[in-house]
């Protein structure tokens, strides 16, 4: 597509920033990124597609929540390295249920937008928990256990995974179903905290699990050997 040739992809290492605005109000809804494939899909479908750096894949806005962005206009800046989308936003742009992703003041940490839509049912519990953990990174460690884990010693954070794994094993060995469920939930939470500390989306884990379908465990392990 000739439109793709306008962008200075090499300058931006094949990943360009995208500012998304409400078509009527010009309110900035979000900032994302596109590679060539994402921009091509956006041009072809007239719906916003982005490249997620955390998920390491292309995603259509609203693929989980149905809060899609119908593209009305696409602009490129004077340096040919940034895209501006004018869109009709279905629902809300932010996964928190707010209209825009920009709702927290930098200097005071004050939240200036209310939640418009409860998005908890739009995303899986793992993704919702992961985003909640990410949002706790700047919280007071005296008020948030998650913030305390994220801001504390890495060894202490990782030790919790080992502890919870041991407790899960004992619960399974003791044939204690309820305790096994509780401990499995605990270890899942602590694994997500560790992933969040490195900004590794659980979607990456899902992709890896999906890749392994149809591959035997022995074959998969052998494929890791150098």
């Amino acid at each position: 597509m000739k439109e793709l040739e306008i962008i200075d992809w090499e300058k931006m290492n094949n990943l360009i920033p995208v500012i998304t605005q409400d078509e009527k109000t010009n309110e900035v809804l979000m900032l994302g990124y596109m590679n060539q494939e994402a921009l091509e899909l956006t041009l072809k479908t007239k719906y916003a597609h982005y490249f997620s750096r955390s998920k390491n894949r292309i995603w259509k806005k609203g693929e989980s929540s149905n809060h899609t962005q119908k593209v009305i206009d696409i602009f490129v800046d004077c340096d040919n390295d940034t895209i501006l989308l004018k869109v009709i936003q279905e629902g809300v742009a932010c996964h928190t249920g707010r209209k825009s992703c920009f709702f927290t003041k930098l200097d005071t940490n004050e939240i200036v937008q209310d939640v418009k839509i409860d998005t908890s049912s739009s995303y899986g519990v793992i993704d919702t928990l992961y985003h909640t953990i990410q949002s706790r990174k700047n919280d007071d460690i005296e008020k948030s256990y998650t913030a305390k884990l994220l801001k504390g010693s890495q060894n202490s954070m990782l030790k919790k995974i080992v502890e919870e794994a041991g407790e899960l094993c004992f619960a399974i060995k003791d044939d204690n179903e309820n305790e096994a469920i509780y401990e499995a939930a605990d270890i899942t939470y602590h694994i997500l905290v560790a992933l969040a500390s490195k900004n590794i989306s659980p979607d990456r884990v899902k992709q890896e699990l999906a890749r392994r379908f149809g591959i035997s465990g022995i074959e998969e392990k052998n494929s890791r050997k150098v």
Side-chain angles (χ1 to χ4, degrees):
M1 299 177 71
K2 61 181 178 62
E3 294 93 336
L4 300 178
E5 298 174 3
I6 297 173
I7 306 299
D8 192 346
W9 296 103
E10 185 175 351
K11 172 184 174 183
M12 303 303 294
N13 293 318
N14 295 313
L15 201 62
I16 59 171
V18 182
I19 301 165
T20 305
Q21 288 183 308
D22 184 284
E23 183 262 339
K24 291 184 178 178
T25 67
N26 287 329
E27 180 179 6
V28 176
L29 300 175
M30 59 174 285
L31 171 70
Y33 293 85
M34 287 184 183
N35 61 5
Q36 294 189 49
E37 185 179 358
L39 179 55
E40 185 174 7
L41 283 168
T42 299
L43 289 164
K44 284 182 177 179
T45 66
K46 302 302 181 185
Y47 280 90
H49 289 71
Y50 302 92
F51 184 87
S52 172
R53 296 173 300 166
S54 60
K55 297 178 180 178
N56 196 36
R57 67 173 177 87
I58 291 171
W59 60 286
K60 178 184 177 183
K61 180 62 177 174
E63 65 183 21
S64 299
S65 64
N66 292 320
H67 296 168
T68 56
Q69 294 173 344
K70 184 176 181 180
V71 177
I72 304 303
D73 274 316
I74 304 179
F75 296 88
V76 62
D77 77 334
C78 56
D79 293 322
N80 296 332
D81 60 11
T82 302
I83 289 290
L84 173 66
L85 297 184
K86 299 276 192 172
V87 305
I88 296 175
Q89 176 70 56
E90 182 70 27
V92 292
C94 186
H95 71 274
T96 64
R98 295 173 175 85
K99 182 179 180 182
S100 168
C101 291
F102 298 94
F103 57 83
T104 306
K105 287 190 174 183
L106 181 62
D107 55 347
T108 63
N109 207 32
E110 178 188 1
I111 294 176
V112 297
Q113 282 187 25
D114 293 329
V115 173
K116 291 184 175 293
I117 297 176
D118 181 3
T119 57
S120 58
S121 62
S122 301
Y123 301 94
V125 65
I126 294 297
D127 289 323
T128 300
L129 178 55
Y130 176 77
H131 285 302
T132 301
I133 291 168
Q134 287 277 32
S135 72
R136 297 287 188 267
K137 285 185 174 181
N138 295 319
D139 285 0
D140 186 345
I141 62 173
E142 298 299 326
K143 298 179 180 179
S144 170
Y145 176 65
T146 300
K148 185 176 182 180
L149 287 172
L150 290 168
K151 293 181 178 181
S153 162
Q154 185 182 68
N155 284 344
S156 296
M157 177 183 66
L158 298 178
K159 184 180 177 182
K160 292 300 297 181
I161 298 176
V162 177
E163 290 177 0
E164 299 300 343
E167 291 174 7
L168 174 60
C169 291
F170 284 123
I172 295 294
K173 185 174 178 60
D174 293 342
D175 200 23
N176 189 328
E177 181 177 337
N178 287 335
E179 193 65 23
I181 292 170
Y182 299 149
E183 298 302 340
D186 285 345
I187 193 173
T188 299
Y189 161 76
H190 284 287
I191 287 172
L192 289 174
V193 169
L195 290 175
S197 73
K198 296 298 183 181
N199 295 314
I200 301 173
S201 169
D203 189 87
R204 300 281 296 277
V205 180
K206 296 175 190 176
Q207 292 176 50
E208 175 59 20
L209 290 172
R211 183 189 69 83
R212 297 184 187 187
F213 277 103
I215 303 176
S216 75
I218 294 175
E219 182 182 353
E220 194 282 324
K221 284 188 178 294
N222 287 339
S223 71
R224 302 188 204 179
K225 295 178 181 179
V226 179

